[in-house]
Amino acid sequence: MKVLLGIGGSPDSFRALSTGLERARAAGDELTVAILENPESDVDPAEVEARVRDELKASAVDASVRRLSGDPGGALIKLAEAEHFDAIALGGGQESPMGKIRLGSIAEFVILNSSVTVILLR
Amino acid sequence: MTADDRFPDTPAAPFPTPPETFIDGADREVTIAGYGDGPPADRETEFERLVEMYTTFDPEDRAQGIPPGREDRVRDWLEHLLIEDAVNLIAWIDASAAGHATLVPDVEEAYELAIFVHQDYQHAGIGKELIRCLLGEGARRGVERVWLTVERWNEVAISLYHAVGFETTNAESFEIEMGLRLDPSAD
């Protein structure tokens, strides 16, 4: 499966990267990691990309890395549709102090607006 | 959005404090008490009664992933909630936990609220008394700012929150965020 994994620097997006890499190795997915500009994240895209490349190296999964600028949800959907990805994968949300799961704004937008299947990784 | 936009300027009217005993809409005697102060002999028993309440909880009434779906996760989750800094009240009917309401501190010294009433005891007014007592106990313990999130289709919960004074502060996401200010000096 051709999977586009979006990562904007939030803790759940880094968890999704680890899970996505494990899955890619087990299932033989063709993985592309898209670095997004997440306005809600404190980690800037260059730092996100450096961490992504470190993880890729450590996991020995052969994935390509792309930097997307502009509105993160829109850019992700545009790329997924234009290049015929089978699925977009994203982090499955952060937990509140109570333990309630709250989806990030990128995930909310992508779920509602993507014509490509969306996978939330937990 | 600034931190203050998340809470109304004016405190809500005072609330009752636990313990409280009342007859619910189905003629059952309900006692609302703080965790550790209920009818069971000790905290360990109360903990086990809460585990029973949540492991038999209908998945249909889960909200944003809680209560969790497996007993080991229910236990972990309850241990995370039943801490000294949080406010926890339980509604008891005989020796069974019928409902549980909690205020958990966040990193900004505000408190996140959640309330659950078991399916066997819903539609009898227990939730309303439980949340009123929770807010009363919160104010008594110095809590000033309370917030919660609720799925926008959960009309029963939203009307309960409105009824006790919560105001909607953010409706841009899948969940609505609501806030309430307490007056800790009120008794």
Side-chain angles (χ1 to χ4, degrees):
Chain A
M1 194 160 79
K2 194 174 159 186
V3 177
L4 180 63
L5 190 149
I7 174 163
S10 60
D12 69 315
S13 73
F14 281 110
R15 275 198 303 278
L17 175 66
S18 309
T19 314
L21 287 173
E22 274 169 39
R23 210 203 105 98
R25 195 184 306 116
D29 291 336
E30 182 189 333
L31 188 67
T32 299
V33 180
I35 316 289
L36 308 169
E37 290 174 353
N38 181 1
E40 289 175 5
S41 166
D42 303 328
V43 191
D44 76 82
E47 198 183 328
V48 174
E49 182 171 346
R51 282 179 62 178
V52 166
R53 292 197 183 276
D54 284 350
E55 281 231 25
L56 285 178
K57 207 180 281 176
S59 74
V61 171
D62 184 25
S64 49
V65 179
R66 304 268 288 264
R67 279 275 276 275
L68 302 186
S69 56
D71 175 72
L76 200 59
I77 291 172
K78 206 167 151 188
L79 176 62
E81 291 177 350
E83 299 190 11
H84 307 289
F85 279 86
D86 299 305
I88 294 173
L90 289 167
Q94 312 265 71
E95 285 189 12
S96 74
M98 181 67 59
K100 282 188 173 179
I101 290 168
R102 303 187 76 178
L103 285 183
S105 58
I106 300 174
E108 287 192 357
F109 181 85
V110 171
I111 288 169
L112 292 175
N113 295 296
S114 171
S115 65
V116 173
T117 299
V118 181
I119 300 170
L120 296 184
L121 296 166
R122 294 229 167 104
Chain B
M1 188 167 57
T2 64
D4 273 327
D5 291 343
R6 295 177 61 214
F7 305 95
D9 295 332
T10 321
F15 295 99
T17 49
E20 193 186 82
T21 297
F22 65 100
I23 304 298
D24 77 359
D27 278 334
R28 295 170 295 216
E29 188 177 289
V30 182
T31 297
I32 293 173
Y35 177 54
D37 300 328
D42 48 47
R43 277 186 178 228
E44 289 67 32
T45 314
E46 291 199 14
F47 188 91
E48 293 307 318
R49 295 290 99 81
L50 273 181
V51 170
E52 276 163 32
M53 171 180 144
Y54 283 120
T55 51
T56 59
F57 203 83
D58 191 332
E60 174 185 306
D61 285 336
R62 277 185 209 156
Q64 294 140 283
I66 57 171
R70 295 199 330 241
E71 184 178 332
D72 56 336
R73 292 195 184 172
V74 164
R75 288 178 180 277
D76 287 348
W77 175 64
L78 284 174
E79 275 169 18
H80 169 80
L81 297 185
L82 297 169
I83 53 173
E84 283 305 313
D85 290 347
V87 181
N88 283 281
L89 298 189
I90 301 163
W92 298 98
I93 293 181
D94 300 323
S96 295
H100 171 215
T102 179
L103 292 171
V104 179
D106 67 16
V107 290
E108 290 164 353
E109 290 173 23
Y111 286 71
E112 184 182 5
L113 179 146
I115 176 167
F116 294 96
V117 176
H118 191 277
Q119 289 70 36
D120 292 352
Y121 306 104
Q122 291 178 355
H123 313 296
I126 295 173
K128 182 152 191 196
E129 276 314 299
L130 188 54
I131 196 171
R132 284 166 47 78
C133 287
L134 180 75
L135 294 168
E137 178 66 8
R140 195 184 68 76
R141 287 179 44 181
V143 172
E144 278 184 64
R145 297 173 302 154
V146 181
W147 61 275
L148 59 86
T149 61
V150 56
E151 288 153 327
R152 51 177 69 249
W153 55 83
N154 194 346
E155 288 167 21
V156 175
I158 292 169
S159 66
L160 171 65
Y161 299 142
H162 274 301
V164 293
F166 275 91
E167 293 178 13
T168 301
T169 51
N170 186 354
E172 286 170 13
S173 325
F174 284 8
E175 311 94 35
I176 295 171
E177 184 168 334
M178 304 177 95
L180 176 137
R181 190 175 293 278
L182 291 171
D183 183 0
S185 59
D187 213 21

